[in-house]
Amino acid sequence: MFRTFARAAGAPPRRLFVGSRGGGMRIVGARFLSQLQEPKEPHMATSEVPGPESQAALQRLSQLQDTRAVIFTADYNKSVGNYIADADGNMMLDMYCQIASIPVGYNSEGILRAAKSDQMAVALANRPALGVFPPADWAQLLEESFMRVKPPGMDMVFTATHGSDANEIAYKAAFMHYALKKRGGRAFSQAEMTTVMDNAPPGSPDVAILSFSLGFHGRTFGALSTTRSKAVHKLDIPAFTWPRAPFPQLQYPLDKHVKENAEEERKCLAEVARILKTNAVPVAAVIVEPIQSEGGDRHASAEFFRGLRRITEENDVLLIVDEVQTGCGATGTFWAHEQWGLATPPDMVTFSKKMQAAGFYHTRKLVPDQPYRNFNTWMGDPARAIVARAIVDEVLEKRLVEQVREVGAYLVSHLEPLGVRYHRIVRNVRGQGTFVAFDCPSTELRTELLDLMRREGVNMGGSGDVTVRFRPMLTLTKAHVNVFLARFQSVLNKMYQKHWP
Amino acid sequence: MFRTFARAAGAPPRRLFVGSRGGGMRIVGARFLSQLQEPKEPHMATSEVPGPESQAALQRLSQLQDTRAVIFTADYNKSVGNYIADADGNMMLDMYCQIASIPVGYNSEGILRAAKSDQMAVALANRPALGVFPPADWAQLLEESFMRVKPPGMDMVFTATHGSDANEIAYKAAFMHYALKKRGGRAFSQAEMTTVMDNAPPGSPDVAILSFSLGFHGRTFGALSTTRSKAVHKLDIPAFTWPRAPFPQLQYPLDKHVKENAEEERKCLAEVARILKTNAVPVAAVIVEPIQSEGGDRHASAEFFRGLRRITEENDVLLIVDEVQTGCGATGTFWAHEQWGLATPPDMVTFSKKMQAAGFYHTRKLVPDQPYRNFNTWMGDPARAIVARAIVDEVLEKRLVEQVREVGAYLVSHLEPLGVRYHRIVRNVRGQGTFVAFDCPSTELRTELLDLMRREGVNMGGSGDVTVRFRPMLTLTKAHVNVFLARFQSVLNKMYQKHWP
């Protein structure tokens, strides 16, 4: 099986690189990229990851940036499909995918084609202030990209640049909407216009976004005030005194804890209702992830989310669904919240990561009462919308969401027995589509597992304190799952031999 | 003079476009872009801007986005150099440049070349999580782009995605640094780790960034709390109760108000010192623009800024210089603060806009004590770093900063006499490099002036309530200034005839 890769990556000496400016490397001839072939299995050139070349690159980079979180330096010229190449010539099956943000494979032919288009060159050479001088064909590009996959009930899209940005702008829309309702059509008062310049009420009112314990919604100040995943994300940074509600902590396996789990969800919803009615600071919107991702792959039932929608409606509070990590097909529907069977759609749906662009969908009622209020210079990026269109094209044409459902079921069906056989390491297997996870009994065992998997040629990531999360591309196949399973079982055996000989 | 443009844009019928997907247009053959020639003067095909084609495009776009701030829809396929084309075939000299964010001209050959490179295609097709899996050549790209023009005294760069983002991440670095000093080396306390999840002190401490009245630092929640430009930017959005200090309001002409202006600056600095010493919420950093831009092109002297640096040092508070709008050459030095003659450099310098990328420079002391603290998924964008490198290359090779100084002096020398002759409209001419402005006596007259200038083929923008700001590209020449001056004088004459016949 290794021959295919060896042939694709090795001799004859196709000189893909030439030395150029600054003594560095630059690619010559792009055609090779679409000729890259995905290997049939991982290929490890070094026994440790990061290897010596990664280490040397990091040494240089550490003069300019903080590199302590780096796992290895990659070679994106050689990465292909579901495989990431590193600087040492290692070729790893990637099930982490740049923190869940690669949708259709490295050096995807469709994205490369879009990247090489004249439209892309014009977009990169003429970045517009989209709110003031949009390109004449901007509407068409929106229609062909984001609007082609708009969630049910949404009819507008506000473009942004990354997930935190999308959430923050959605919060601003929620606060403007809240104030508009409260103001009841009257003009801004002189007191509002004056106090706002001092960040004081009534101009800067004390209103809140409600989020959930262990939720993650980004790292900028507004987003961070709703993020509740880990102390290290928030420590030392001022935050708004916004409330948080408990998110259900389900017990696994689900079918053995039906009653307890329903009771747990009921209690959490009751707490949401209590906060919305009694919180000292009025709540303008609730934000929730369909699956809490950074917080440790915590799920809740469709019924819980239907209940949440009902409660927000009863309290005239907006519901924002954060699909930054769950969106774009990974859970087996294009948007994870489509699986909830809502009677009325959420008010806003935010996205980023696998869309390789960012923003939020909304309905017309969330357009502010005046222009320039929810505004910034760039307001997104046509170059990224062109990439998003290529992604949407590929996902729909290749029916990748359907593939995700099938491959995800295959993955879970093979993980579950391992969760029985290797219960000292693999617990609480769960997932929707290929958005799958399991828990380890400790952070230390998880770190050991991830390190060993990487040495075996499978790049994986964690979430929460003890969870291993699968965040493969939508292009993952059963063959990739088999490659993973073989190495996973080998690593589990090694760990058992070491810890429980 | 018009023939050059007519020949470049008109017959023979070079078919630059073909109909494609969705009934829209797509360019075929990129070579034409580098063959675009800048016209010698504006060409107006419609008497109104926006014209009918812009209106039609806006009608369609308004189904998907809020278009009320749009001035016209542009045709970036035909825009070239200092001229922006609109959907109606108008060709306008652009002195607004996407809110001060186009550095070296529309469809710049250097950026187009970078956009068409294989390195760009790979960057677009494989967007990395830079903090975890950076490309092996990321250090080299940083060295060839941002670090090549690093401000004096800075040795590291934190990359971000836009100006607000850059400022917010700089604030986080400031707060972490503040807490580190205060903690004095001890580990995080249990109380800190627990309270932070409720957004409460001591984990989420009550600390502040000090900004100046009429300053603008962005639109996300942390940035917006330091923005003090206009009520409409802030209204209805919760804000941190951070303090603001007065920014000097200088009187013009400067040489006739030396004493009053020095006194005004002294008073403002005294107020900064007072706030740093006595503010109820401790201040971790001061942020300031070298020229307040959105606030109405408000200047202060180099002595003021030297005093500000001295006061921040005396109070052990960080100084962040926001060069998002002033950076990248427009003021006649690559960074505007280089003109202050500081004894010690600022602690952080933030950038975006004309760099077509974003981030902040800093020294090693501002690296947090642990990894993952100042962190996010993308942490910038190699594609934009490639564009920034092309920009830096062109600015340095063509000596554009020197050109800005020369052309800026030429522009001001011609504006000043107009400020005497047309004093009922043109007041307080001021500027550094081509970062030039004047005031109108009222918002209404400014609006009228900007509209008339656009009809004459010159696209300009306002700042503050009554200011007209020049934000041309660095490639502006004296010939462009002459084109502007002829139309400006004609518009001033028309306005005089109308208002003061």
Side-chain angles (χ1 to χ4, degrees):
Chain A
M1 290 179 99
F2 179 58
R3 276 169 299 169
T4 306
F5 168 62
R7 197 168 60 239
R14 292 186 293 149
R15 286 181 51 81
L16 303 179
F17 300 94
V18 286
S20 78
R21 48 187 306 159
M25 311 282 257
R26 208 169 277 191
I27 309 162
V28 287
R31 204 157 301 131
F32 90 92
L33 284 167
S34 55
Q35 291 170 357
L36 282 174
Q37 282 197 33
E38 197 179 273
K40 288 276 194 298
E41 56 180 28
H43 164 64
M44 298 307 286
T46 64
S47 56
E48 303 274 334
V49 178
E53 292 293 329
S54 267
Q55 299 278 15
L58 285 180
Q59 179 56 33
R60 181 173 174 185
L61 182 57
S62 68
Q63 302 303 308
L64 309 177
Q65 297 197 318
D66 180 8
T67 56
R68 290 168 299 173
V70 174
I71 297 175
F72 56 80
T73 64
D75 184 345
Y76 295 110
N77 299 309
K78 293 184 181 154
S79 301
V80 53
N82 289 264
Y83 281 79
I84 185 168
D86 77 2
D88 289 278
N90 296 307
M91 199 76 175
M92 289 170 262
L93 177 64
D94 196 359
M95 302 186 87
Y96 193 24
C97 299
Q98 312 300 327
I99 316 182
S101 66
I102 300 291
V104 289
Y106 292 111
N107 287 308
S108 129
E109 209 179 312
I111 300 183
L112 281 175
R113 203 182 312 117
K116 281 288 186 178
S117 70
D118 292 340
Q119 193 180 20
M120 178 64 84
V122 171
L124 287 168
N126 306 283
R127 187 168 189 174
L130 279 169
V132 199
F133 306 106
D137 59 357
W138 179 231
Q140 182 185 341
L141 184 49
L142 292 174
E143 286 160 6
E144 292 176 355
S145 56
F146 310 117
M147 297 313 287
R148 201 169 162 207
V149 290
K150 66 180 180 180
M154 304 281 121
D155 44 34
M156 300 182 85
V157 65
F158 196 116
T159 45
T161 56
H162 53 68
S164 297
D165 202 35
N167 283 338
E168 292 228 347
I169 301 174
Y171 298 172
K172 288 175 70 175
F175 288 130
M176 289 176 193
H177 180 72
Y178 177 87
L180 185 68
K181 276 191 306 180
K182 199 172 167 195
R183 205 173 270 128
R186 73 158 169 78
F188 305 142
S189 72
Q190 192 53 52
E192 285 170 336
M193 300 291 277
T194 309
T195 54
V196 72
M197 303 313 283
D198 279 317
N199 295 359
S204 297
D206 211 359
V207 279
I209 305 290
L210 172 66
S211 60
F212 287 92
S213 289
L214 294 176
F216 182 93
H217 304 289
R219 299 264 201 168
T220 47
F221 283 76
L224 192 63
S225 290
T226 54
T227 285
R228 315 282 184 160
S229 45
K230 285 184 182 167
V232 72
H233 297 155
K234 294 168 67 74
L235 209 62
D236 302 334
I237 310 301
F240 294 108
T241 53
W242 294 347
R244 63 169 165 160
F247 191 84
Q249 177 56 62
L250 302 187
Q251 296 180 56
Y252 294 86
L254 294 176
D255 56 6
K256 291 198 178 147
H257 298 89
V258 173
K259 204 180 148 196
E260 299 94 312
N261 287 340
E263 175 60 17
E264 166 76 0
E265 292 192 335
R266 196 198 58 71
K267 271 200 286 190
C268 291
L269 287 177
E271 182 61 10
V272 170
R274 191 193 64 76
I275 293 170
L276 294 188
K277 282 185 210 313
T278 64
N279 199 58
V281 178
V283 175
V286 176
I287 186 161
V288 70
E289 297 159 276
I291 300 167
Q292 288 193 326
S293 306
E294 299 304 310
D297 280 58
R298 287 151 54 90
H299 293 248
S301 71
E303 195 178 350
F304 171 80
F305 290 107
R306 286 195 298 272
L308 183 62
R309 167 80 285 199
R310 198 167 51 243
I311 291 167
T312 55
E313 288 189 300
E314 285 167 4
N315 289 275
D316 197 16
V317 162
L318 301 172
L319 178 62
I320 306 170
V321 180
D322 180 339
E323 293 249 24
V324 168
Q325 191 155 161
T326 53
C328 197
T331 69
T333 45
F334 200 94
W335 303 105
H337 78 270
E338 292 177 64
Q339 298 172 40
W340 298 345
L342 292 180
T344 51
D347 297 287
M348 290 183 260
V349 176
T350 64
F351 62 89
S352 183
K353 284 197 159 67
K354 281 193 182 61
M355 292 293 281
Q356 292 280 299
F360 65 95
Y361 296 99
H362 61 97
T363 55
R364 190 161 293 275
K365 78 171 178 189
L366 284 166
V367 176
D369 54 332
Q370 290 187 24
Y372 284 111
R373 298 194 65 195
N374 216 350
F375 184 86
N376 57 67
T377 296
W378 284 332
M379 301 191 79
D381 184 350
R384 291 288 165 195
I386 293 169
V387 171
R389 179 176 61 193
I391 292 165
V392 167
D393 281 354
E394 184 163 348
V395 171
L396 299 183
E397 277 162 25
K398 295 191 176 164
R399 300 178 59 82
L400 291 180
V401 180
E402 292 79 351
Q403 179 175 325
V404 162
R405 277 204 292 275
E406 196 181 326
V407 174
Y410 181 80
L411 171 62
V412 169
S413 74
H414 284 77
L415 276 180
E416 278 175 340
L418 296 177
V420 177
R421 187 160 158 203
Y422 298 96
H423 189 67
R424 286 172 159 170
I425 300 176
V426 180
R427 297 169 182 189
N428 300 337
V429 172
R430 57 199 182 271
Q432 291 173 20
T434 54
F435 206 100
V436 170
F438 62 84
D439 296 332
C440 295
S442 72
T443 307
E444 292 68 29
L445 279 173
R446 180 184 65 179
T447 302
E448 185 180 335
L449 174 67
L450 293 177
D451 284 348
L452 288 171
M453 286 302 292
R454 213 169 285 122
R455 290 190 199 193
E456 293 282 332
V458 181
N459 187 39
M460 302 188 70
S463 64
D465 292 325
V466 297
T467 303
V468 172
R469 56 174 155 176
F470 295 77
R471 293 294 184 275
M473 300 153 195
L474 310 180
T475 51
L476 192 81
T477 63
K478 290 181 186 174
H480 295 120
V481 172
N482 290 340
V483 165
F484 156 76
L485 287 169
R487 280 150 190 81
F488 188 46
Q489 208 157 338
S490 153
V491 163
L492 291 174
N493 283 335
K494 276 187 204 160
M495 289 178 71
Y496 261 65
Q497 280 159 24
K498 177 180 164 195
H499 294 287
W500 304 282
Chain B
M1 288 179 102
F2 178 58
R3 275 168 301 169
T4 306
F5 168 64
R7 196 169 61 238
R14 292 188 293 151
R15 285 183 52 83
L16 303 180
F17 300 93
V18 288
S20 78
R21 49 187 306 159
M25 310 284 257
R26 209 167 279 191
I27 310 161
V28 286
R31 206 157 299 133
F32 90 92
L33 283 168
S34 54
Q35 290 169 358
L36 282 175
Q37 281 197 31
E38 197 180 271
K40 286 278 194 298
E41 57 178 29
H43 165 64
M44 299 306 288
T46 65
S47 57
E48 303 274 334
V49 178
E53 291 294 329
S54 267
Q55 299 277 15
L58 285 180
Q59 180 57 34
R60 181 173 175 186
L61 182 57
S62 68
Q63 301 304 306
L64 308 177
Q65 297 197 321
D66 180 7
T67 57
R68 290 169 299 173
V70 173
I71 297 175
F72 56 81
T73 65
D75 185 346
Y76 295 110
N77 299 309
K78 293 185 183 155
S79 301
V80 54
N82 288 264
Y83 282 79
I84 185 167
D86 78 1
D88 289 278
N90 296 309
M91 198 77 176
M92 288 168 263
L93 177 65
D94 195 0
M95 302 187 86
Y96 193 24
C97 298
Q98 312 299 326
I99 315 181
S101 66
I102 299 291
V104 289
Y106 291 110
N107 287 309
S108 129
E109 209 180 313
I111 301 182
L112 281 175
R113 204 180 312 119
K116 282 289 186 178
S117 71
D118 293 340
Q119 192 181 20
M120 178 64 83
V122 172
L124 288 168
N126 305 282
R127 188 169 187 173
L130 280 169
V132 199
F133 306 106
D137 59 359
W138 179 231
Q140 183 185 344
L141 183 49
L142 292 175
E143 286 160 8
E144 293 175 354
S145 55
F146 309 117
M147 297 315 286
R148 200 169 162 207
V149 289
K150 66 181 180 182
M154 304 281 120
D155 44 33
M156 301 182 84
V157 64
F158 197 116
T159 45
T161 57
H162 53 68
S164 296
D165 201 36
N167 283 338
E168 293 227 347
I169 301 174
Y171 298 172
K172 288 175 71 174
F175 288 130
M176 287 175 193
H177 180 73
Y178 177 88
L180 185 67
K181 275 191 305 179
K182 199 173 167 191
R183 205 173 269 127
R186 72 159 170 76
F188 305 143
S189 72
Q190 192 53 51
E192 285 170 336
M193 300 290 278
T194 309
T195 54
V196 72
M197 304 313 283
D198 278 317
N199 295 359
S204 297
D206 211 359
V207 279
I209 305 289
L210 172 65
S211 60
F212 287 92
S213 289
L214 293 175
F216 183 93
H217 304 288
R219 300 264 201 168
T220 48
F221 284 76
L224 193 63
S225 291
T226 53
T227 285
R228 316 282 183 160
S229 44
K230 287 184 181 166
V232 72
H233 297 156
K234 294 168 67 74
L235 209 61
D236 301 334
I237 309 301
F240 294 108
T241 54
W242 294 346
R244 64 168 164 160
F247 191 83
Q249 178 56 62
L250 301 188
Q251 296 180 55
Y252 295 86
L254 294 177
D255 55 8
K256 291 200 178 144
H257 298 88
V258 173
K259 204 178 146 195
E260 300 94 312
N261 287 341
E263 175 61 17
E264 167 75 1
E265 293 193 335
R266 197 199 56 74
K267 272 199 285 191
C268 292
L269 287 178
E271 183 60 10
V272 171
R274 190 193 65 75
I275 293 170
L276 294 188
K277 283 185 210 310
T278 64
N279 199 57
V281 177
V283 174
V286 176
I287 187 162
V288 70
E289 297 159 276
I291 301 167
Q292 288 194 326
S293 307
E294 299 303 311
D297 280 59
R298 286 151 54 90
H299 293 246
S301 70
E303 194 177 351
F304 171 81
F305 290 107
R306 286 195 298 270
L308 184 62
R309 167 80 284 198
R310 198 167 50 242
I311 291 168
T312 54
E313 288 189 301
E314 284 167 4
N315 288 275
D316 197 15
V317 163
L318 300 173
L319 177 63
I320 306 171
V321 179
D322 180 338
E323 293 248 25
V324 167
Q325 191 156 160
T326 52
C328 197
T331 69
T333 45
F334 200 93
W335 304 104
H337 78 270
E338 292 178 62
Q339 297 171 41
W340 299 345
L342 292 180
T344 50
D347 297 287
M348 291 183 260
V349 176
T350 64
F351 62 88
S352 184
K353 285 197 159 68
K354 282 194 182 60
M355 292 293 282
Q356 292 281 299
F360 63 95
Y361 296 98
H362 61 96
T363 55
R364 190 162 291 276
K365 77 172 179 188
L366 285 166
V367 176
D369 54 331
Q370 290 187 26
Y372 283 111
R373 297 194 67 197
N374 216 351
F375 184 86
N376 56 68
T377 295
W378 283 331
M379 301 191 79
D381 184 350
R384 290 289 165 195
I386 292 169
V387 171
R389 180 176 58 193
I391 292 165
V392 167
D393 282 353
E394 185 163 346
V395 171
L396 299 183
E397 277 162 26
K398 295 191 178 165
R399 301 178 59 81
L400 291 179
V401 180
E402 291 79 351
Q403 178 174 325
V404 162
R405 275 204 293 275
E406 196 181 327
V407 175
Y410 181 80
L411 171 61
V412 170
S413 75
H414 284 78
L415 275 179
E416 277 174 342
L418 296 177
V420 176
R421 186 160 158 203
Y422 298 96
H423 188 69
R424 285 171 159 169
I425 301 176
V426 180
R427 297 170 182 189
N428 300 338
V429 172
R430 58 200 182 270
Q432 291 173 19
T434 54
F435 205 100
V436 171
F438 63 85
D439 296 333
C440 293
S442 72
T443 307
E444 293 67 31
L445 279 173
R446 180 184 66 178
T447 303
E448 186 181 333
L449 175 67
L450 294 177
D451 284 349
L452 288 172
M453 286 302 292
R454 215 170 281 122
R455 289 191 199 192
E456 293 283 331
V458 181
N459 187 39
M460 302 187 70
S463 64
D465 292 326
V466 296
T467 303
V468 173
R469 58 173 155 175
F470 294 77
R471 293 294 184 275
M473 300 153 194
L474 310 180
T475 51
L476 192 82
T477 63
K478 290 180 187 174
H480 296 119
V481 173
N482 291 339
V483 165
F484 157 75
L485 287 169
R487 280 150 189 81
F488 188 46
Q489 207 157 338
S490 152
V491 163
L492 291 173
N493 284 334
K494 276 186 203 159
M495 289 177 71
Y496 261 66
Q497 279 160 25
K498 177 180 165 194
H499 295 286
W500 304 280

